[in-house]
Each structure stands twice: as C-alpha cells, then as structure tokens.
Amino acid sequence: MKTENGIAAGTSGAKGINRRLQPIGRDLLRNRWLYLMMVPGLLYYMIYHYVPMGGLIIAFKDYNMGDGIWGSRWTGFDNFVTVFSSPDFPQLLRNTLLISVYRIVFNMVPDLLLALMLNEIRAQWFKRIVQSVTYGPYFLSWVIVYGLVFSFLAPDSGLISTGWRELTGQSISLLTDKAFFRPLLLITDFWKNTGFGAIIYLAALSSINKELYEAAVVDGAGRWRQLWNITLPGVRDVFILLLILRVGTILDAGFEQIYIFLNARVTEVGDIIDTWVFRRGLEQLDFSVATAVGFFKSVIGFILVLSANRLAKKFGGSGIW
C-alpha cells in the first residue's frame, strides 16, 4: 500500500512539474529567435566576465608564472596587507575618490542640460548638426584627445602657451601644473563624453507622453512649469540609474585618460589606484598584489551599487532592480 501511495505521489509530483514546465516550453518555442539572439551576448559575458573570475584566487597566492595558478604558494591575506600598508595607498585612494566624485558632480548635469536644450530645438536640421558636433568627440581615443590638448597647452609650442607668452612675456606649463591637472581631466572628459550622455537622456525624453504637455498647455502651464513638472520627472529614473552605475565604479576614476595625461610633476594629485596597479602588476610583474587590489575594488563597488540602489528606492526612485 505504501508503495502504491509512493507511486501515486510521485506521479502527481511529475504531473505538477510538467504543468509548470509546459508554459516555459511554449515560451521558448514562441520566442526562439529572440532567445537565439541572446546567445552571443550570454557567451561573451560568460567567457570574458564570469570564467576569468576564477583568477581571483591569485589574490590569495604568491603567483608565479612558472608554477601556474594552482601550483603557486598560498599566502592568505598577505597581498591585501601589502596593499593597505603601502605608504602610497592613502594618497592613491584620496586621489581616486576625489577625481571620481568630481566626475559625478560636474559631468553628469551637463549631459542632462544639453539633452534638455536639444529637446527644445524645433529646427531638426540644426538639432542634427549640434548632435553630430557634440557626439563626435566620443569616438576619439584618449591618445588623440591628449594630442589635441598638447597642441594647445605644450609649454614651448602650444597655441595657448605661445599666445600667453607673447602677451605677458611669461611662460606657463599647464600640463605640469598640479593645480590645473584635475580641472583639465574634467574639461576634457566633459568635451569628449557629454554628447554621448545627452543621447541617453534624449531617448528618455522621447518616451514621455506628449499628451502630458498638451494637457499642461491647456491648463496654462508655461515652458518652465512643463520642464519642472513633466520633463524632469520623466528623466528622473534614467538619471538615478546612471548615478547608481557611476557610484559603483567610483574606484575606477578613468584609468585610460589619467594614464595618458599623467606625468611626474602631477603624480601627487593625479596618481590613482589603477595607475599604481598597472605599474605594480605589469611593469613589476606583481600579479598577486594587482589582483588583490582588483578584488578589493570589486567588493567595494558591489557594496556601493547595493547601497545606492536601496537609497534610490527609499527616496522614490526605481533603482536598477
């Protein structure tokens, strides 16, 4: 009797599982081409983002290329102690946080302002020209951007430096000026990336229901009132999403740009964690310490994303999930 009850229960359970799987199977069959298009993206993230995470084990070893990852000696948390006890680490962390916060504070609002101004342009030909001009620098590498900056600010041959010397009789060297280095990073980042950021906000603006503006006009609301009550709330979620993503990468600070612009005169204010890792990991071949820093950054970034997402939901935003 027990056996019969067991068989009945097993049959009932199997039927329940089949009933739950049938809608999934129908969905897979109905949307098979959409799921097929997802495969390359999933494979990309699996191969280049998830599989390499196994290399984090190097952070807890004295990695030697000859012995390999598994053959290298375990050191526990010694690599982390080496990083945090380094006399350069407090300055590196301070520079990284300052530059990242400056980017968030001063380079997010211009993206939104440019999008709002473009959204108010009624002449489509002029709007396309402005978009092309502002979006074009995004495709330039930081090497090319530095070449342009050097042509203006080079101490001996730069256009601005030469003009200043002819007007005042004094030489200036802005590329090696510690007080000007961080503003230079912000200015070049603003010039290069504002157009791209504006396109993201323009996409959000285009999704706002036009009937809301029509109703506002009927109620007598002017352009500023429409902007405050319709436009800005319409892009709030996108702004919060981009803010959360930037907060999660606050310990990156833009390695490519800083590495190219950095020189010995401005190391005190411009050297960040990533440039130090580059020198320690690739130039000195100390992969264990470099991996420990990367692991530390990932943990901090993960915590910051969770915290920012929770705060965004608490204050009425949608967050990431």
Side-chain angles (χ1 to χ4, degrees):
M1 188 66 181
K2 292 183 178 180
T3 303
E4 292 177 356
N5 290 338
I7 294 174
T11 303
S12 177
K15 289 181 179 179
I17 294 174
N18 289 332
R19 283 197 297 269
R20 288 193 294 269
L21 291 179
Q22 283 177 359
I24 298 176
R26 286 196 297 267
D27 181 70
L28 289 174
L29 183 62
R30 183 171 57 251
N31 301 309
R32 58 188 180 278
W33 299 115
L34 296 177
Y35 287 114
L36 185 62
M37 287 190 290
M38 290 175 56
V39 171
L42 293 176
L43 288 177
Y44 168 79
Y45 278 99
M46 183 64 66
I47 296 173
Y48 294 103
H49 291 269
Y50 285 96
V51 173
M53 289 177 65
L56 290 175
I57 195 175
I58 296 176
F60 304 94
K61 289 194 169 191
D62 182 14
Y63 176 69
N64 183 282
M65 287 187 290
D67 298 331
I69 295 178
W70 300 110
S72 299
R73 181 175 59 87
W74 286 94
T75 59
F77 292 94
D78 290 352
N79 293 318
F80 294 92
V81 173
T82 300
V83 173
F84 298 140
S85 62
S86 172
D88 298 327
F89 186 76
Q91 184 65 39
L92 294 170
L93 184 61
R94 179 175 181 272
N95 291 339
T96 302
L97 293 176
L98 281 177
I99 294 174
S100 294
V101 170
Y102 289 160
R103 288 180 189 275
I104 293 174
V105 173
F106 296 107
N107 283 4
M108 283 195 68
V109 176
D111 299 351
L112 178 58
L113 293 178
L114 178 60
L116 293 176
M117 288 187 290
L118 289 174
N119 191 55
E120 296 298 323
I121 297 176
R122 295 294 175 258
Q124 293 300 317
W125 63 269
F126 182 69
K127 182 177 181 179
R128 287 193 292 268
I129 291 175
V130 174
Q131 280 186 281
S132 300
V133 171
T134 55
Y135 189 48
Y138 177 76
F139 296 99
L140 301 178
S141 69
W142 280 114
V143 176
I144 297 176
V145 173
Y146 180 76
L148 295 174
V149 172
F150 188 83
S151 66
F152 282 94
L153 301 181
D156 298 325
S157 58
L159 182 62
I160 295 178
S161 301
T162 303
W164 179 265
R165 185 170 59 251
E166 291 179 354
L167 289 174
T168 64
Q170 300 177 350
S171 298
I172 57 172
S173 181
L174 296 177
L175 290 176
T176 58
D177 187 351
K178 291 190 292 186
F180 186 69
F181 182 73
R182 289 172 183 163
L184 178 62
L185 295 178
L186 295 177
I187 292 171
T188 51
D189 183 71
F190 166 81
W191 177 75
K192 185 177 186 296
N193 295 320
T194 298
F196 176 77
I199 286 181
I200 297 176
Y201 287 113
L202 282 173
L205 289 171
S206 65
S207 65
I208 299 176
N209 191 349
K210 302 302 180 184
E211 295 180 356
L212 295 175
Y213 292 103
E214 296 173 0
V217 172
V218 172
D219 291 339
R223 301 299 300 178
W224 287 106
R225 182 61 62 182
Q226 294 176 37
L227 174 67
W228 186 258
N229 290 325
I230 300 175
T231 305
L232 291 181
V235 298
R236 182 188 61 179
D237 290 343
V238 175
F239 185 86
I240 292 175
L241 173 62
L242 295 177
L243 178 62
I244 292 173
L245 294 177
R246 289 208 179 193
V247 168
T249 59
I250 199 170
L251 292 182
D252 289 339
F255 165 75
E256 293 181 7
Q257 179 191 16
I258 295 176
Y259 181 74
I260 293 170
F261 279 74
L262 196 64
N263 57 72
R265 296 284 185 88
V266 297
T267 300
E268 182 181 348
V269 297
D271 200 17
I272 60 174
I273 293 176
D274 284 348
T275 52
W276 183 81
V277 168
F278 180 84
R279 294 194 302 271
R280 188 74 181 251
L282 294 182
E283 295 180 2
Q284 301 179 22
L285 300 180
D286 194 347
F287 298 111
S288 298
V289 172
T291 306
V293 176
F295 187 82
F296 164 73
K297 287 175 52 182
S298 300
V299 172
I300 297 300
F302 180 69
I303 294 173
L304 289 175
V305 167
L306 292 179
S307 302
N309 186 73
R310 186 170 183 178
L311 285 175
K313 288 186 175 182
K314 183 176 181 180
F315 290 100
S318 60
I320 297 180
W321 62 85

